[in-house]
C-alpha cells in the first residue's frame, strides 16, 4: 500500500518545496508576478476603502459594520489578503531564490496557504453566479458608483480567481479541501442567521424562511449551493490540471534560485521519489 502522509494529502510534501509553486509562474517572471499580485491587492483594498467612504458620506455608516455579515464581503477580504501575502512571498522569492517566509514558518502554514488558495479560486465564482443569477435585478445600473462597486465585487473577483488558476505553477487542489470548503459555508450560514436574530435582517433574501413557510425552498437553495461548490471545485481543479498539462511543467525561476535551468532534472527526481516511497498510509 502506498504511503500517503498528511503533508501529501494537503499538497505540502517536502519533495515539492523546490518547485516554489505559489511563488512562480510558467508565463511571468517572479518579479512581474509579485507586482501583479500586489496591484490586485492594492485595488481590492482601495475598493473597500472607497465603498466605506461612500457609505460614511451618504448617511449609511451602519452599512460598514453590516458588511462583515455578507459572504461577498468576506470573500473579497479573503482575496485581498491572499494577494497581499502571495505578493510578499513572491517578492521574497524573486529577490533571494528561496521561500523565505515558508522556510521559517511551521509547515502547517503551508497547509493553511493551500486552503486559502482553494477558497480564493472557488468561492469568488460562487459569489458571482449567485449575485448575477439570483440577486441582480435588471436593467443594468444607471448610477455609476453602484455599478462600479458591484462589478468590482461580483465580476472582477472571479477574474482575479481565474488569473490565480491560470498564471501560477500551483498544483491542482487537494480533494481533502472539499470538506473544509463545505464546513466554511456552514459556518457562514450560522453567521447569516445569527445576523438575522441579532440585527433583524437577512443578508440574502433567499435565506428568508418567512416564519417557516419557505423552509423547504431555503433548504433547496442550500443544497443547490452545496452542489454548485462541488462543481466549481471540480472545474477549478480541472483547469489547473489542464494548465499544468499544456505548460509542460515550465517554471520561470528567480535569478538566484539554485535550480534555475534544471527543471527537467527536478521533475525526474520528484517522480522517482514518489514511485519509490513506502506504500502505507501514515497520519
Amino acid at each position: 500500500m502506498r504511503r500517503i502522509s498528511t503533508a501529501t494529502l494537503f499538497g505540502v510534501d517536502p519533495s515539492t518545496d523546490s518547485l516554489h509553486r505559489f511563488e512562480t509562474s510558467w508565463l511571468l517572471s517572479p518579479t512581474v508576478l509579485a507586482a501583479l499580485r500586489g496591484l490586485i491587492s492594492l485595488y481590492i483594498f482601495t475598493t473597500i476603502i472607497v465603498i466605506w467612504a461612500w457609505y460614511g458620506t451618504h448617511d449609511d455608516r451602519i452599512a460598514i459594520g453590516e458588511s462583515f455579515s455578507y459572504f461577498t464581503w468576506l470573500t473579497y477580504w479573503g482575496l485581498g489578503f491572499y494577494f497581499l501575502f502571495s505578493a510578499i512571498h513572491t517578492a521574497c522569492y524573486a529577490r533571494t531564490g528561496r521561500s523565505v517566509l515558508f522556510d521559517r514558518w511551521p509547515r502547517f502554514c503551508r497547509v493553511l496557504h493551500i486552503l486559502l488558495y482553494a477558497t480564493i479560486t472557488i468561492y469568488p465564482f460562487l459569489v458571482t453566479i449567485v449575485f448575477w443569477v439570483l440577486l441582480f435585478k435588471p436593467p443594468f445600473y444607471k448610477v455609476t458608483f453602484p455599478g462600479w462597486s458591484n462589478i468590482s465585487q461580483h465580476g472582477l473577483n472571479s477574474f482575479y480567481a481565474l488569473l490565480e488558476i491560470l498564471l501560477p505553477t500551483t498544483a491542482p487542489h487537494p480533494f481533502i479541501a472539499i470538506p473544509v470548503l463545505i464546513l466554511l459555508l456552514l459556518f457562514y450560514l450560522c453567521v447569516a442567521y445569527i445576523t438575522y436574530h441579532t440585527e433583524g435582517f437577512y443578508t440574502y433574501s433567499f435565506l428568508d424562511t418567512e416564519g417557516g413557510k419557505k423552509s423547504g425552498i431555503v433548504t433547496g437553495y442550500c443544497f443547490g449551493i452545496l452542489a454548485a461548490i462541488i462543481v466549481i471545485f471540480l472545474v477549478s481543479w480541472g483547469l489547473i490540471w489542464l494548465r499544468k498539462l499544456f505548460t509542460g511543467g515550465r517554471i520561470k525561476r528567480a535569478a538566484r534560485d539554485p535550480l534555475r535551468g534544471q527543471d527537467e532534472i527536478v521533475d525526474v527526481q520528484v517522480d522517482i521519489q514518489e514511485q519509490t516511497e513506502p506504500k502505507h498510509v501514515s497520519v
Side-chain angles (χ1 to χ4, degrees):
M1 184 184 299
R2 180 178 178 182
R3 176 192 176 103
I4 304 177
S5 66
T6 303
T8 301
L9 284 174
F10 281 97
V12 294
D13 193 287
S15 66
T16 63
D17 288 355
S18 62
L19 298 177
H20 301 288
R21 285 173 170 163
F22 286 99
E23 301 132 316
T24 57
S25 169
W26 61 274
L27 180 64
L28 306 176
S29 69
T31 301
V32 175
L33 181 62
L36 176 62
R37 286 170 162 174
L39 286 173
I40 292 174
S41 176
L42 178 62
Y43 179 82
I44 289 173
F45 286 121
T46 300
T47 300
I48 292 173
I49 292 172
V50 170
I51 293 175
W52 281 3
W54 175 274
Y55 290 157
T57 56
H58 287 74
D59 297 323
D60 198 15
R61 294 181 181 87
I62 193 173
I64 297 175
E66 291 177 348
S67 66
F68 289 100
S69 293
Y70 287 88
F71 191 71
T72 294
W73 277 92
L74 296 176
T75 57
Y76 205 60
W77 277 101
L79 276 168
F81 280 110
Y82 169 82
F83 278 104
L84 173 62
F85 280 99
S86 63
I88 293 172
H89 285 303
T90 308
C92 290
Y93 168 75
R95 177 168 180 168
T96 66
R98 297 183 298 108
S99 299
V100 178
L101 299 179
F102 279 139
D103 290 344
R104 294 179 180 178
W105 293 346
R107 183 155 291 273
F108 183 64
C109 290
R110 293 178 185 256
V111 172
L112 293 178
H113 195 78
I114 281 178
L115 293 177
L116 177 60
Y117 176 73
T119 63
I120 68 99
T121 52
I122 293 171
Y123 284 157
F125 297 112
L126 178 66
V127 169
T128 298
I129 292 170
V130 170
F131 178 78
W132 295 105
V133 173
L134 297 180
L135 302 177
F136 173 72
K137 296 180 180 179
F140 198 74
Y141 299 98
K142 296 181 179 180
V143 181
T144 301
F145 181 81
W148 166 78
S149 62
N150 277 301
I151 289 173
S152 294
Q153 292 184 296
H154 303 104
L156 291 179
N157 61 332
S158 291
F159 175 68
Y160 302 147
L162 187 61
L163 287 179
E164 277 299 307
I165 288 174
L166 299 179
L167 289 180
T169 58
T170 48
H173 306 304
F175 283 94
I176 198 171
I178 293 178
V180 176
L181 293 168
I182 294 174
L183 183 62
L184 290 175
L185 285 175
L186 289 174
F187 284 158
Y188 175 72
L189 193 61
C190 295
V191 170
Y193 283 107
I194 289 173
T195 297
Y196 170 71
H197 286 288
T198 57
E199 302 295 328
F201 71 93
Y202 283 101
T203 51
Y204 299 103
S205 57
F206 58 82
L207 294 177
D208 186 358
T209 62
E210 295 187 7
K213 296 179 181 178
K214 292 187 176 180
S215 296
I217 296 176
V218 172
T219 301
Y221 276 122
C222 291
F223 277 102
I225 290 174
L226 172 62
I229 207 66
I230 294 175
V231 170
I232 295 171
F233 177 93
L234 295 175
V235 171
S236 179
W237 188 97
L239 288 174
I240 295 172
W241 184 86
L242 287 173
R243 181 251 294 157
K244 288 193 65 180
L245 177 66
F246 289 130
T247 60
R250 289 194 299 275
I251 302 175
K252 285 188 174 291
R253 294 183 178 271
R256 295 186 179 181
D257 189 330
L259 295 177
R260 184 172 183 174
Q262 304 180 43
D263 290 320
E264 291 184 2
I265 298 175
V266 172
D267 289 341
V268 171
Q269 289 175 340
V270 171
D271 289 340
I272 292 175
Q273 182 170 345
E274 290 178 348
Q275 294 172 8
T276 57
E277 282 182 339
K279 297 185 178 180
H280 63 277
V281 176
S282 67
V283 293

